[in-house]
Amino acid sequence: MVIGGVILRMEFLYPPNKDPNHIILLLVVMNDKRTYFVRYEWDYSKDLRGIERMGSHPVHRTQRMPLLLIPFTTSPGFMLVCEDCIALFNNVLSGYGLPRLELLRPGDPPEEPGSSRRSPLWTQWARPVRRDEWQVDNEVIYLCREDGLVRLVEFHNGEIHFQTQVQVGKLEVNVDTAFASLENDNQNVFPHDYESHDLLVAGGNMGDGGLFMFTALEDAKRHQSIASWAPVIDFTTANIGYSIKENLLGSSNDGRSAVRERIFGSVGRGSRHGGMCELRYGIEALSSARIDIQPLGVAGIVGMWILPHVTGTLILLTDPIRSHLLLLSASDGEIREISDKVASDELGLDLQVRTIAAGNTEEGLIIQITEQSIQIKLPQQDLASVKGHGHGIRIIAGCVHGGIPAMLTVVRKDTDVHLCLEAVLVNETGISLTTVGNPELLPCEPSCISLQAVGFHLYALVGLLTGSIEIFRCDPKAGLTSLIAHDFEGEFAVCDSVVLISKTQEIKDHTELLVLCGLRNGSLEVFQLVLGDDLG
């Protein structure tokens, strides 16, 4: 169809209740500096060749550049939102007639007016969810201005009379067309009077957006931020590379550098929305295969590790009694179970016992920690090493750091519990596993252990069942050196997971670290660790 002009706005109008097959398409068209309403109608149950143009109707000059066209829900009517007024048209099937005009009350001035003398424009609208019986005669519309100001408009749809027009809040985000109302029916996410809230999501092209909660007689509350990098005005990249092996455990390996590429961008616009941002990237995780573990005789999985293989990916599972090994083929995506003999002969894995921890190194070593031994194998060169423990000695916890390579083990002998740092060295003669320094006596069994590298240093973090955490620095010669012991407060304040991150780069004579502890009571506790060159 040839319209004959520029389409400014277009919406489908709601048909009369008794004629649900009646399709009504309304266009606001500008032609030769004049604006017209152009309406098309047809029957949904018939061929599209029956579309009929119902003529055109001129728009008053005060509404010739409408910002928004919003259809009514209970009649084939609509309203035009202009810069400073709203024009209401009721039941256009019987003629447009003279609209009812309502002035938009001046809102708060923009916080960043710039050099313009005009008010910000209304950029989008949203219709919140209401009860069906209430919506028969009433309309509720949220109008949003480009600077984030939101106005609630209520009126009686049958009589076209306003009931209220109030400013309900400022979103403090830039908004263009990303503005919508969400159905709030999840009392698990919003447990307190969740039916009395309106949820609005908004975003723009100047900075971050957000999810906002609107409650009667209260200011809008931001429930969640929605990150936005647009627009990226400029960006730069930085390559950070360093060799960590010699600095951490004195290994004489090839000293390959770990390179981390980072992207920094100048994002957003204006003093409130602009800033510097690091653009992070990763690999999307997709579901590739599923397998029923019941036929394998698994008595409940208590641990799982992923290991590389020349033909695919190895999946090591363990239950409280024994271990199981699966191979995810890279060629056909099928999952096959590996026998105990193949796992032992080719990979150095003992599946007859429970696995405490497992991992692999950059050199291709496969490491398995069980209650009675530490097994290491290099499948390509058929090199292997096994370190066993004597009678009455049992490994109760462990973790592997493949990039160094090193590992932590917690060993129980009688009533004593010790923390041990083990280093792995590979040379022409074979694989050697040595204990670095002296084991550290722990006051009780651990709830979690972690071995993490930050910068040029290696740290051991041990959560204890007494509701505390101990942090050690790992020295390539002296072994474990205690740095700090921290007690948690509250019931069930036992650390089940811990992460150590660098707050800043090493500055002159000290290093600042953040310790993030996930506690058993569901809380996250964060504390700062400042270390000097003397380990103070």
Side-chain angles (χ1 to χ4, degrees), residues 161-292:
H161 288 297
F162 274 92
Q163 294 177 327
T164 58
Q165 182 190 164
V166 294
Q167 179 177 310
V168 293
K170 277 190 174 181
L171 304 183
E172 296 184 352
V173 300
N174 156 255
V175 181
D176 42 22
T177 58
F179 182 73
S181 174
L182 305 180
E183 184 174 359
N184 184 13
D185 60 353
N186 194 336
Q187 59 181 329
N188 295 321
V189 179
F190 307 101
H192 303 295
D193 299 328
Y194 72 99
E195 292 182 339
S196 63
H197 303 308
D198 285 334
L199 292 179
L200 298 178
V201 60
N205 60 356
M206 293 180 62
D208 293 347
L211 177 65
F212 300 87
M213 180 182 297
F214 285 78
T215 306
L217 304 178
E218 295 183 11
D219 294 334
K221 297 179 181 178
R222 186 195 294 255
H223 181 72
Q224 178 182 346
S225 293
I226 301 176
S228 172
W229 292 339
V232 180
I233 309 301
D234 192 13
F235 65 88
T236 184
T237 60
N239 294 334
I240 302 175
Y242 54 87
S243 178
I244 63 174
K245 295 182 181 179
E246 292 189 6
N247 293 280
L248 294 178
L249 284 177
S251 172
S252 60
N253 291 330
D254 55 7
R256 289 175 290 176
S257 297
V259 179
R260 178 187 177 192
E261 296 182 350
R262 304 174 69 180
I263 304 175
F264 297 91
S266 174
V267 302
R269 290 192 181 100
S271 59
R272 295 177 60 228
H273 306 293
M276 293 296 298
C277 179
E278 180 178 358
L279 280 62
R280 300 179 181 270
Y281 60 93
I283 301 175
E284 182 182 5
L286 300 175
S287 177
S288 61
R290 291 185 178 184
I291 185 172
D292 185 6

Side-chain angles (χ1 to χ4, degrees), residues 68-119:
L68 301 172
L69 170 60
I70 306 175
F72 296 151
T73 58
T74 56
S75 69
F78 62 92
M79 66 180 181
L80 287 181
V81 179
C82 303
E83 289 191 39
D84 54 4
C85 69
I86 296 177
L88 306 175
F89 295 83
N90 188 33
N91 198 1
V92 297
L93 297 183
S94 58
Y96 292 91
L98 294 177
R100 177 181 175 87
L101 294 180
E102 291 287 344
L103 295 178
L104 280 170
R105 297 170 186 168
D108 292 344
E111 296 184 9
E112 298 177 280
S115 59
S116 176
R117 297 181 180 179
R118 304 177 66 178
S119 298

Side-chain angles (χ1 to χ4, degrees), residues 2-19:
V2 178
I3 302 300
V6 178
I7 300 177
L8 302 179
R9 295 287 180 266
M10 181 174 65
E11 286 285 353
F12 284 98
L13 303 184
Y14 285 80
N17 293 332
K18 298 180 180 180
D19 193 6

Side-chain angles (χ1 to χ4, degrees), residues 273-342:
H273 306 293
M276 293 296 298
C277 179
E278 180 178 358
L279 280 62
R280 300 179 181 270
Y281 60 93
I283 301 175
E284 182 182 5
L286 300 175
S287 177
S288 61
R290 291 185 178 184
I291 185 172
D292 185 6
I293 63 174
Q294 291 184 352
L296 303 178
V298 180
I301 297 176
V302 296
M304 180 173 64
W305 298 268
I306 302 298
L307 304 172
H309 193 265
V310 291
T311 63
T313 302
L314 293 172
I315 306 172
L316 178 61
L317 308 174
T318 186
D319 59 30
I321 301 175
R322 57 161 293 151
S323 302
H324 307 265
L325 187 63
L326 307 176
L327 174 63
L328 174 60
S329 175
S331 59
D332 55 14
E334 295 292 330
I335 296 182
R336 304 176 180 87
E337 186 176 9
I338 304 298
S339 67
D340 294 3
K341 179 175 175 54
V342 173

Side-chain angles (χ1 to χ4, degrees), residues 407-418:
M407 68 193 76
L408 281 178
T409 59
V410 178
V411 179
R412 170 181 285 279
K413 182 179 180 181
D414 298 329
T415 59
D416 294 336
V417 179
H418 289 87

